[in-house]
Each structure stands twice: as C-alpha cells, then as structure tokens.
C-alpha cells in the first residue's frame, strides 16, 4: 500500500505525483525509511481548493440520502481494507497492529454514523409576533473545509472531520501530519473506491508550516477543522486572513481523581489504560492523578505493578502488544525531559523510567510506561501536557483540594473520576472545568456524544450531532404572506 501511495497527492479525483520536494517517512519502531511524500506546492494547494470549490456546487445540492449512501459505501470500503490500512498505520505511527485495526474500524463506524446523520439535518419554524409571517431556519453546508490533523490517531481524527463535513454537504482538502501521511492517502483511496465524486475529497501532503498554513490563509477555504497542539491552534486562529469558521481540538493536561470510596482495582485498570494507551500520545491521556491519602499507598503500588506488566513491542511483530513505539523522537525527548524534571524536584520512580532492554528496541522510539509518585505542581509532569507514557501521582486530603489542583491548568479537555459515593460523583463532575468528565470509566469520547475542549483546549465539537453542526450555517428565511384573494 505504501509503495502505491508514495509521492502522491489526490486532487480533483486524480492521483498526481507531487511536484514539490520529497519528505521521508520513518518507521518509528525501526528507524527504517518507509517511503517519501511530496511537499505540495502552492499551485497544488490552489488546485485542490479549486477542485473542492467546483465539487461543492454539486455535492452540496445532492439529496442527503445520496450523500448518506456514499458514506455508507466508504465505511464498507474502509472496513474491507482494514488489515492493509492498519498495517500502514502501524508502520508509520508505531501503535500495535491490533490497536491500529481497531482505529480503522472506528473510522468505518464514523462513516456509518454520519451517513445516518446526513438525513437528519432538520430545520425549524420559529414563531413571530404576527401570524402572517413564518421564520424558517434552515441549515446549509459551509463550503470548502481545510482539515489539518496530527499523527497520534491518523485515521480517526481525519474521519471525524471528513464524515461530518461530507454528510453536511461540504467538500474537503485534507492536510495530514508529515509523520503519518500514508494512512490519510489510503483513506482518500477508499473515498475513490466508494465512488465519492472527484474533488469532494482531496489530500495534499507536506509540512504544516507551509501546506497547512496555505490552507489556513487560502480565501477559497471557508472553514478550518484542526486537531493539534494549542500553540499551533492559536497560531492558526491568529493567522486567518479572512473570516473563517474554525474548530480547534487542541492539547490537554488531563487529571484523574480517585477518592477514598473508589473501587481501587477499577481505578488502577482505568488509570493504566488511559495513561499509557497509544504510549500516552492522546490528547485525553491521564497526565496526573490525585488520590485520596487513605488509599494512596495501595493505589500507587498497584498502578506501578500494572504499568510494569504492560507488554511493549514492535507493533508489527507483536500485534497484541499493549504499547508500541512512540511516533517520533520529539515526544520521546519530551517524556524524558518531564521525567528528569520531576525526579530532580523530588518525585519517586515507581515503574518504568527507561527504554526496554534488548536488540528489538535499540533503533526505535521505545520507552517503558512510567509512574511517578510524590509529585507536586512544581513539576512539569503535573502542569504540562507530556504526550508520552508518563503519569504523576499526588495524594490529597480534601475533595476541594483535588478539584482545585485538577482545575489548576489552562487546559480543559477531559477529566476522570473514580468514586462509588454518588454525592462525590455529583460534587466532582459538576465542578471539574472540562468539556468531558468520565466517571468510573476512562472513555471520555464516544461517537454519539459531543466531544470538545474548553479554555486552551479548543473551540467546537466533534462526534455526535454537534460535530456535524460545525459544518453547517444557519439561514433564517422570514416570509410574510398576503391573504389569498377572495378569502
Ligand atoms: P501540531 O500542532 O504540531 O500539528 C498538528 C497538525 O498541524 C499537523 O498536521 C501539522 O503539520 C500542522 N501544522 C503545524 N504547523 C502549522 C501551521 N503553521 N499551520 C497549519 N498547520 C500546521 O500537533 P502534533 O501533530 O504534535 O499533535 C499533538 C497535539 O495534538 C497534542 O497537543 C495533542 O493534545 C493534540 N491533540 C488534540 C486532540 C483533541 O481532540 N483535542 C486529539 C489529538 C491530538 P506537520 O506536523 O506535518 O508539520
């Protein structure tokens, strides 16, 4: 699959060998170069936007049921190629093959979900002060979407934008992360296979600062749908040259609170899953845990043992490994930096703390899931997004202290609570200043509920009906009727 997609851009339904410079794509588990992509030139970005504009004229006017059928076909094509697409993802991103396949199947689920939503874009009739007037509120697609995505979930983060945009009647130009472009190109190939018309889905590859920025500044792009770091999100917001709709799904620094009434086994299981899945490279990863002092010793020792028990492996050779390689040198370096900082400030290493030993791990970006105890808010691990397999734990005495610490961050994406006392559940979930609060589970995002951050974690929503509203404008049509003659 990668060989077929190397150097290619999809513009107006045609695969083109990109004219720009070549950028190597590395396998993070081995350091091997998998292939190259082309840095799209500004002429190619213009062509992609122009193609999407032309296609918008017809795609937006199709009956919703026709768009729904196309999205269902896309879901079927994606599921049918799940093994090959998962392999592509593991090779370029590092996550274990089974997990990559799960992500591809979730992309297929997004296609079917938004196919069903496409036929439910209802309007409203709003009362007026006189009875001879109707106010119709209808929803219309925004236009051309520029989708800019990161490398941690190379299929799902495209899928949420692509499926909601297409269901709404928008067309799209996708700029995937340089680290994981082949998954994006494979998705575009599936859109073609599903018979989605030329120009509705376009993919341009290359560096964010050039190709992504060109989409942000392009007057022909009506909306930017971005997932990535808060710094780049802010930069995008500042650098739009014309008024555009923006949805920004940005960074997090997500807390978990474990009270004295929590089921400790469940809390440990949840903490391990959400701290280390995808090597902690998740915007909703648990970065920091506040645990009631009465249960802190037991919780920390169980968490350390569970982290040590996780299997780290090359995601192709060990498809069932718990965690694979990190996606590149940068998040690994940041993980080590946060670890060194915390240890220097008095944290206690409970599990991990180094790369796994052995030849199999010598060339890739591997690191053992790492737990730190006795942490404080003087440490980066507790106050910055690590985006790696590192979690800090701190004991608390009063619930209000835990809430204050949990909210002591510029971010507001996801938070987690483990408590059996329902009074505690209510008290905590209503006071945590986050877009998502998961209680006694760690799956903060599900397909049919809105998912989005507050504060520096972004604006707008993905998932659910709300995710599709991000691709629709409201139009108010106010009609005054004359009495028919002769009544
Ligand atoms: P970045 O912000 O570095 O990059 C995200 C995307 O933006 C990439 O495609 C990148 O291109 C592109 N980009 C970079 N600079 C510009 C620019 N000037 N103009 C337009 N596009 C640009 O994030 P990462 O890829 O490092 O992803 C990790 C971050 O994403 C974390 O902070 C994480 O929390 C966040 N995230 C948020 C999620 C959410 O739902 N809230 C979900 C997942 C991740 P390239 O890399 O190719 O140069």
């Amino acid at each position: 699959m990668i060989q077929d997609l190397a150097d290619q851009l999809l513009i107006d339904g045609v695969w083109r060998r990109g004219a720009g410079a070549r950028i190597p794509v590395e396998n993070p588990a081995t350091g091997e170069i998998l292939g190259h992509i082309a840095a799209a030139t500004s002429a190619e970005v213009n062509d992609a936007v122009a193609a999407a504009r032309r296609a918008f004229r017809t795609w937006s006017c199709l009956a919703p049921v026709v768009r729904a059928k196309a999205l269902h076909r896309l879901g079927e094509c994606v599921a049918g190629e799940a093994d090959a697409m998962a392999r592509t993802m593991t090779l370029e991103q590092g996550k274990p093959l089974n997990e990559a396949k799960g992500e591809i199947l979730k992309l297929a689920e997004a296609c079917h979900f938004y196919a069903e939503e496409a036929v439910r874009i209802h309007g409203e009739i709003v009362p007026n002060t006189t009875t001879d007037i109707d106010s119709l509120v209808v929803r219309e697609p925004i236009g051309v979407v520029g989708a800019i995505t990161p490398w941690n979930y190379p299929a799902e983060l495209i899928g949420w934008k692509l499926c909601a945009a297409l269901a709404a009647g928008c067309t799209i130009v996708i700029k995937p992360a340089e680290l994981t472009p082949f998954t994006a190109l494979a998705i575009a190939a599936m859109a073609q296979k599903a018979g989605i018309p030329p120009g509705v889905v376009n993919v341009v590859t290359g560096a964010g600062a050039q190709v992504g920025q060109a989409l942000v500044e392009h007057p022909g792009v009506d909306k930017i749908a971005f997932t990535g770091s808060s710094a780049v999100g802010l930069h995008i917001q500042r650098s739009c040259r014309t008024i555009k709709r923006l949805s920004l799904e940005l960074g997090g620094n997500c807390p978990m609170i474990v009270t004295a009434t929590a089921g400790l086994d469940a809390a440990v299981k949840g903490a391990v899953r959400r701290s280390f899945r995808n090597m902690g490279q998740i915007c909703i990863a648990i970065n920091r845990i506040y645990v009631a002092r009465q249960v802190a010793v037991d919780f920390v020792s169980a968490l350390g043992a569970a982290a040590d028990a996780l299997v780290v492996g090359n995601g192709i050779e060990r498809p069932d490994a718990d965690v694979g390689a990190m996606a590149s040198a940068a998040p690994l370096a940041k993980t080590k930096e946060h670890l060194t900082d915390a240890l220097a400030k008095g944290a206690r290493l409970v599990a991990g703390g180094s790369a796994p030993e052995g030849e199999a791990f010598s060339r890739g970006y591997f690191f053992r899931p790492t737990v730190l105890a006795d942490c404080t808010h003087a440490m980066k691990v507790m106050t910055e997004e690590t985006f790696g397999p590192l979690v800090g734990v701190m004991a608390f005495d009063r619930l209000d202290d835990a809430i204050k610490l949990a909210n002591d961050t510029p971010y507001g994406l996801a938070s987690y609570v483990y408590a059996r006392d329902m009074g505690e559940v209510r008290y905590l979930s209503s006071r945590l200043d986050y877009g998502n609060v998961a209680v006694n589970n760690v799956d903060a995002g599900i397909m049919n509920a809105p998912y989005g951050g507050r504060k520096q974690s972004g604006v707008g929503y993905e998932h659910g009906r709300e995710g599709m509203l991000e691709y629709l404008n409201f139009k108010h049509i106010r009609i005054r009727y004359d009495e028919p003659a002769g009544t």
Side-chain angles (χ1 to χ4, degrees), residues 87-328:
R87 190 178 162 80
T88 298
M89 189 193 300
T90 295
L91 284 170
E92 66 182 3
Q93 201 273 348
K95 67 182 66 177
L97 199 52
N98 289 355
E99 199 175 321
K101 186 166 176 187
E103 185 182 337
I104 296 293
L105 294 176
K106 282 193 140 187
L107 164 65
E109 184 190 326
C111 296
H112 296 302
F113 179 87
Y114 281 109
E116 287 164 18
E117 286 301 311
V119 294
R120 297 189 190 117
I121 305 175
H122 300 155
E124 279 186 323
I125 300 176
V126 178
N128 274 257
T129 49
T130 57
T131 54
D132 58 340
I133 296 177
D134 275 342
S135 273
L136 313 185
V137 180
V138 296
R139 294 168 189 192
E140 297 180 341
I142 286 176
V144 173
V145 175
I148 303 174
T149 53
W151 43 263
N152 58 338
Y153 282 85
E156 277 190 280
L157 295 175
I158 289 176
W160 301 343
K161 297 166 183 61
L162 171 72
C163 300
L166 264 54
C170 295
T171 56
I172 196 163
V173 180
I174 300 165
K175 202 306 279 178
E178 276 168 283
L179 294 181
T180 55
F182 292 123
T183 304
L185 291 164
I187 294 169
M190 291 305 110
Q192 260 197 327
K193 192 173 170 188
I196 291 176
V200 173
V201 179
N202 307 272
V203 178
V204 287
T205 52
Q210 282 88 45
V211 182
Q213 191 69 38
L215 285 177
V216 169
E217 294 180 14
H218 204 296
V221 173
D222 302 293
K223 177 202 163 101
I224 292 291
F226 172 78
T227 301
S229 59
S230 295
V232 173
L234 180 60
H235 173 77
I236 286 175
Q237 190 176 49
R238 285 184 173 146
S239 61
C240 287
R241 293 189 175 173
T242 51
I243 301 296
K244 286 187 202 307
R245 281 278 286 274
L246 287 177
S247 46
L248 304 171
E249 297 290 345
L250 308 177
N253 177 25
C254 306
M256 175 191 200
I257 297 176
V258 180
T259 77
T261 71
L264 276 200
D265 290 347
V268 168
K269 211 169 149 200
V272 166
R273 176 177 161 84
R274 193 46 75 226
S275 300
F276 301 124
R277 194 166 170 79
N278 203 21
M279 284 298 257
Q281 302 165 124
I282 316 184
C283 50
I284 56 165
I286 295 171
N287 298 141
R288 48 199 175 106
I289 301 175
Y290 305 98
V291 56
R293 198 171 301 279
Q294 303 92 298
V295 294
V297 171
D298 289 347
F299 176 81
V300 166
S301 78
L303 179 61
D308 275 338
L310 293 174
V311 175
V312 184
N314 176 322
I316 294 286
E317 290 161 8
R318 289 293 313 262
D320 60 341
D322 293 303
V323 287
M326 298 186 75
S328 74

